[in-house]
């Protein structure tokens, strides 16, 4: 459902997409070799976390416009559209995370069902802890994708990596349930303790 518009030389266009499965996560790198604009419609079934590896990106959402080079981290919610412009030398690492699994984990952490879609702030602040941790996570994911563990334990390792990536997004990065997750747990009233 995406629309691609060439902004650079048509003769230079050379799209390169590489993908690797890591358990339930899908990692991919994407480049175009010329300046392009990509209008993305809501995916609906996955959240996409993009880390700029080289070059630059301009990100346009309904709420804001952000630009950045290597290290820029963007979170595309499953329910929002976004427009991105990439420089000719731009290359990005994309991590696809299943929306249903992410929502189920958020509901588990909250101890209740979600009453609205889980939506993330689009850009991870470069000076925050979420940014630093995500860059470490991305390096770890790439490392495991390039050198998978021994077969008998691979599935278990991949499940743990998936859960860690989801927990980092839910606990470190701003989203529609951040306030609820960060709210202090109320103390038990004396009558509850007696009961």
């Amino acid at each position: 459902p995406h629309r691609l518009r060439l902004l650079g030389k048509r003769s230079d266009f050379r799209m390169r997409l590489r993908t690797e499965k890591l358990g339930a996560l899908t990692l991919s790198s994407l480049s175009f070799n010329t300046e392009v604009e990509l209008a993305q419609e809501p995916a609906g079934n996955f959240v996409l976390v993009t880390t700029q590896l080289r070059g630059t990106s301009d990100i346009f959402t309904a709420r804001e416009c952000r630009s950045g080079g290597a290290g820029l981290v963007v979170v595309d919610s499953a329910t929002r559209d976004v427009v991105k412009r990439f420089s000719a030398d731009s290359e990005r690492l994309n991590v696809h995370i299943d929306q249903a699994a992410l929502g189920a984990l958020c509901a588990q952490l909250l101890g209740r069902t979600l009453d609205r879609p889980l939506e993330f702030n689009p850009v991870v602040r470069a000076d925050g802890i979420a940014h630093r941790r995500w860059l470490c996570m991305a390096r770890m994911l790439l490392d495991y994708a390039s050198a998978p563990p021994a077969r008998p334990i691979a599935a278990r390792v991949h499940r743990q990596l998936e859960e860690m990536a989801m927990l980092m997004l839910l606990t470190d990065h701003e989203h529609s349930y951040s306030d609820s997750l960060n709210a202090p747990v109320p103390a038990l009233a004396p009558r509850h303790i007696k009961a």
Side-chain angles (χ1 to χ4, degrees), residues 22-23 144 148-161:
L22 194 64
Y144 273 97
R151 196 144 196 92
I153 62 166
R156 186 169 183 177
V157 170
H158 294 165
R159 280 195 305 274
Q160 295 298 317
L161 288 170

Side-chain angles (χ1 to χ4, degrees), residues 109-155:
L109 293 172
L110 289 170
R112 63 177 172 88
T113 57
L114 305 186
D115 53 9
R116 63 188 186 281
L118 182 60
E119 293 186 342
F120 290 87
N121 185 333
V123 179
V124 179
R125 285 181 32 206
D127 59 348
I129 194 167
H131 183 263
R132 188 175 75 246
R133 287 180 178 169
W134 184 260
L135 292 182
C136 291
M137 185 77 224
R139 281 192 291 272
M140 191 180 333
L141 292 173
L142 282 172
D143 187 58
Y144 273 97
S146 63
R151 196 144 196 92
I153 62 166

